[in-house]
């Protein structure tokens, strides 16, 4: 019998609500209600639900400075407040953020130990904008980066691949591993929107040069471009990197219905991306875990997520497409300096 697919969750994810300090904030607990409602209707797609433990401060400090961890903890203890124009915490947010990071850690332990065939963390707040010393962009602690570092520090993994398909650049994850060759970070994101980083020409620094792959796409990009960049640039590089673990920063805000960005993916586009990643990971015998990032139209997020989980767990076929000629060629000629594409 194959080990279970695991879905990590925690009730504290529902208590973090930036609207208390920033009225009209799009990151609401309703996102989780929509996701879990849709999964429940589908019998959780066969995933076994597990309660996420709280990450220890030492786990948060795998990526973050003790000063950042203390400042978030103290602000929450004091009743909360806004950190910047986009990011706010309440009394419960530190607890929620610890369980969100703890979900990613526990999922990673299960995957690396072979105790899960697949994992997903349906938790808030999200993490990919959080830099080692700075919370920003709705994110407090960088769940995916902490999980990648845990796999390296605790299990001795030599190579972890992080794919970020949130519509916003995963600047926090990129910064955490900017000068490292043991984490390959690839992000497809819309250019010209928050946080304003992630240019094609930023490939990392020092020993990490080539291990950051930034693929910005224009407003209005649809699945033809996203899938082309994934199939013809990201995955050949990832295959050459030979990761022992694949982590996905799974945001669903590149969906055409999303209010925060202008990309035009369908729910089925996420399933296609998931099929391609699944097949690559299977070839490499690397387990796959995904962590929720953005996605601000709750129904579109829920539908896309259900299709992603089903695809990661084997449903559907990865369809090969011809490379989109303009941006894919430009990206391939740049990334091709570092990887055989
Ligand atoms: Zn996003």
């Amino acid at each position: 019998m194959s080990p279970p697919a695991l879905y990590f969750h925690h009730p504290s994810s529902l208590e973090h609500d930036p609207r208390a300090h920033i009225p009209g904030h799009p990151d609401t607990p309703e996102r989780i209600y929509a996701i879990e409602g849709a999964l429940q209707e589908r019998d959780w797609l066969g995933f076994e639900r597990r309660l996420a433990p709280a990450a220890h401060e030492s786990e948060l400090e795998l990526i973050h400075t003790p000063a950042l961890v203390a400042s978030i903890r103290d602000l929450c203890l004091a009743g909360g407040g806004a950190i910047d124009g986009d990011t706010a915490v309440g009394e419960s947010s530190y607890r929620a953020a610890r369980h969100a990071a703890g979900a990613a850690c526990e999922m990673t332990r299960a995957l690396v130990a072979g105790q899960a065939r697949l994992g997903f963390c349906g938790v808030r707040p999200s993490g990919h904008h959080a830099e080692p010393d700075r919370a920003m962009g709705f994110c407090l602690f960088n769940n995916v980066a902490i999980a990648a570092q845990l796999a390296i520090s605790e299990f001795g993994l030599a190579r972890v691949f992080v794919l970020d398909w949130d519509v916003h650049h995963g600047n926090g994850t990129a910064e955490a591993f900017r000068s490292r060759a043991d984490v390959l970070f690839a992000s497809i994101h819309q250019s010209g929107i928050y946080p304003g980083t992630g240019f094609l020409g930023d490939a990392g620094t020092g020993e990490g040069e080539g291990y950051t792959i930034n693929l910005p796409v224009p407003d209005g990009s649809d699945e033809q471009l996203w899938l082309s960049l994934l199939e013809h640039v990201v995955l050949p590089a990832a295959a050459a990197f030979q990761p022992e673990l694949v982590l996905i920063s799974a945001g669903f805000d590149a969906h055409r219905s999303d209010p925060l960005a202008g990309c035009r993916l369908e729910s089925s586009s996420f399933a296609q991306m998931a099929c391609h990643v699944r097949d690559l990971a299977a070839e490499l015998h690397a387990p796959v875990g995904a962590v929720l990032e953005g996605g601000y139209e709750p129904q579109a997020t829920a539908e896309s997520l259900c299709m992603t989980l089903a695809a990661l767990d084997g449903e559907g076929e990865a369809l090969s497409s011809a490379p989109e000629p303009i941006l894919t060629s430009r990206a391939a000629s740049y990334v091709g300096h570092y990887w055989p594409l």
Side-chain angles (χ1 to χ4, degrees), residues 128-129 138 166-169 194 251-254 260 293-296:
H128 73 149
H129 293 306
F138 313 175
D166 188 281
V167 79
H168 303 98
H169 179 234
Y194 191 87
F252 299 95
D253 40 11
L260 293 201
E293 300 285 3
Y296 302 98

Side-chain angles (χ1 to χ4, degrees), residues 87-99:
T87 316
V89 297
E91 232 173 323
S92 321
S93 300
Y94 180 61
R95 188 163 162 260
R98 280 184 61 189
H99 283 281

Side-chain angles (χ1 to χ4, degrees), residues 2 25 83 121 149 168 171 189 212 229 273 315 319:
S2 77
H25 199 286
I83 292 172
C121 300
Q149 184 60 48
H168 303 98
N171 61 292
H189 48 270
T212 298
L229 288 170
M273 292 201 284
E315 191 175 294
L319 305 172

Side-chain angles (χ1 to χ4, degrees), residues 16-107:
H16 166 66
D17 194 342
R19 289 174 298 187
H21 297 277
I22 305 175
H25 199 286
D27 179 19
T28 66
E30 282 71 27
R31 301 172 58 226
I32 298 285
Y33 285 117
I35 287 167
E36 299 205 337
L39 282 168
Q40 195 157 23
E41 273 171 23
R42 293 163 175 82
D43 270 338
W44 299 90
L45 297 164
F47 279 61
E48 192 179 309
R49 295 176 74 216
R50 296 254 173 105
L51 207 56
H56 295 290
E57 292 193 349
S58 61
E59 290 167 332
L60 304 176
E61 291 171 9
L62 286 169
I63 291 294
H64 297 290
T65 58
L68 175 76
V69 174
S71 74
I72 306 275
R73 181 191 59 219
D74 294 348
L75 181 57
C76 295
L77 276 176
I83 292 172
D84 61 26
D86 304 297
T87 316
V89 297
E91 232 173 323
S92 321
S93 300
Y94 180 61
R95 188 163 162 260
R98 280 184 61 189
H99 283 281
C105 291
E106 201 64 6
M107 174 185 80

